[in-house]
Amino acid sequence: RKTGRERRGSLVVRARSVSVERIGIVALVLVCAAVLISLATGIGNAMGLAAGGGFMLVNYRLIRTLVYRLITPGVSQIPAVGALVMKLGLTGILVLGVFHRFPVEPMSFAIGVSLLPLAALLDAVVLGTALPEIEDNPDAGPDGI
């Protein structure tokens, strides 16, 4: 039996489970690490990183709650859709307000916000639990048979 990515011309997909909760925790750890590194080295603006990371974490939690309400059966979806639309508008206004009112460095803020996709990538590639192997069979139909 061959091991690795390829077995006699068939592609082996190694899938991992992804946890929404774990992504939030990893994002928090990344933000804290980025702020500490910024403070220790003087590179970037620690306050901007913390503001961007905090904004991202609150936004992530809010979106998670709203999407949960949207996909929960038996719950009216109209208020959740309205809240999601309002949240998107308020997010833009809030970011503009933060930059106008507080001395936040935009690049550090952007890096703090962008740590969420990095956390999701880490969860999907490294931290997730490996799922059973699935082999791609070129002769199989759309349902894999």
Side-chain angles (χ1 to χ4, degrees), residues 52-67:
F55 176 79
M56 171 265 304
L57 289 168
V58 169
N59 191 34
Y60 179 67
R61 187 68 170 179
L62 187 57
I63 287 175
R64 208 177 132 203
T65 302
L66 290 173
V67 169

Side-chain angles (χ1 to χ4, degrees), residues 2 7 22 58 80 88 100-102 106:
K2 289 186 175 184
R7 285 192 209 155
R22 189 172 48 227
V58 169
L88 292 174
H100 180 69
R101 181 76 176 137
F102 301 106

Side-chain angles (χ1 to χ4, degrees), residues 1-2 5-14 132-138 140 144:
R1 178 178 174 169
K2 289 186 175 184
R5 294 184 185 263
E6 194 174 319
R7 285 192 209 155
R8 297 185 188 179
S10 67
L11 178 66
V12 177
V13 178
R14 299 205 194 300
E133 259 182 32
I134 302 170
E135 290 193 35
D136 181 29
N137 184 353

Side-chain angles (χ1 to χ4, degrees), residues 58-133:
V58 169
N59 191 34
Y60 179 67
R61 187 68 170 179
L62 187 57
I63 287 175
R64 208 177 132 203
T65 302
L66 290 173
V67 169
Y68 176 76
R69 293 234 8 164
L70 282 172
I71 63 173
T72 302
V75 176
S76 176
Q77 295 177 349
I78 294 172
V81 170
L84 189 59
V85 170
M86 281 187 359
K87 188 212 88 50
L88 292 174
L90 289 174
T91 298
I93 292 169
L94 182 62
V95 169
L96 289 174
V98 164
F99 285 124
H100 180 69
R101 181 76 176 137
F102 301 106
V104 175
E105 186 180 313
M107 198 59 158
S108 294
F109 185 88
I111 290 170
V113 169
S114 67
L115 291 175
L116 179 64
L118 179 60
L121 182 67
L122 283 172
D123 191 63
V125 175
V126 177
L127 302 173
T129 308
L131 297 174
E133 259 182 32

